[in-house]
Amino acid sequence: MASTLRKITMAVLAPAMAIGATVGLASAPASAAVWSSCAQYGNTSLNGYTLYNNIWGSGAGSQCIWANSGTNWGVNANHPNTGGIKSYPNSKKVINKSITSLGSLSSSYNVSVPSSGAYNTSYDIWDTDYDYEIMLWVNKTGAVGPLGTSQGNVTLGGHTWTVYKGTNGANQVFSFVRTSNSTSGTVNILPILKWIKDTKGWFGNETIGDVQFGFEITSSSGGLDFAANNLTVSSS
């Protein structure tokens, strides 16, 4: 679910708050990672990706992020069983190309997620002006749901999605929720962007700035582990 606060955090605050505020301690992976942080907005760059702990929601508990690389990372999160998104730990790849100038834009993912809690595993794609947010939910668990109203189902990019259209008051949000949960696969992102632009006319030839992938966590009481075992984002 989109949030103005998260938009500001991802666009402005996170790069400037590498130290951040310590929210609390959670367990790190058993083996030593290349990088880890329990800071609220802890972030680092690894092999072309930027990683963010990104604990932005009210009433959040503790969360620590670890990374072996920009494509292999995870978090242990202990957020209370209350409503509202608490965090969106993620890795980001900068694209900075207009839709019509992109020859391809795709991503492969392989994740390990808990069977309890409330969360979604999602891509969060932004234009450079942060006017539009495109979310691609590849799995979800618990009492979570996208912003906006259903626009029906569509098969694009190798998956079948239920599409939702809405606004959070600051930007338009288009959410594509996979009709069945998946923990691994490949998403061809460019046809989704072209469908929004050409078929629906919901935006024009936007310049795509960021492709983020992570876990939007509402609750994970007792401490739950989320891992991106392998994530790659590629474009041409």
Side-chain angles (χ1 to χ4, degrees), residues 66-79:
W66 57 267
N68 293 315
S69 68
T71 60
N72 174 224
W73 59 275
V75 295
N76 178 273
N78 186 357
H79 298 300

Side-chain angles (χ1 to χ4, degrees), residues 17 19-23 37-42 53-57 63:
M17 299 180 68
I19 298 176
T22 300
V23 174
S37 176
C38 298
Q40 182 176 7
Y41 299 113
N53 201 28
N54 194 29
I55 308 168
W56 64 266
Q63 177 178 292

Side-chain angles (χ1 to χ4, degrees), residues 160-181:
T160 300
W161 320 86
T162 302
V163 182
Y164 295 81
K165 181 175 182 287
T167 179
N168 59 24
N171 53 268
Q172 296 292 312
V173 184
F174 311 119
S175 298
F176 292 70
V177 180
R178 200 176 188 274
T179 54
S180 61
N181 282 345

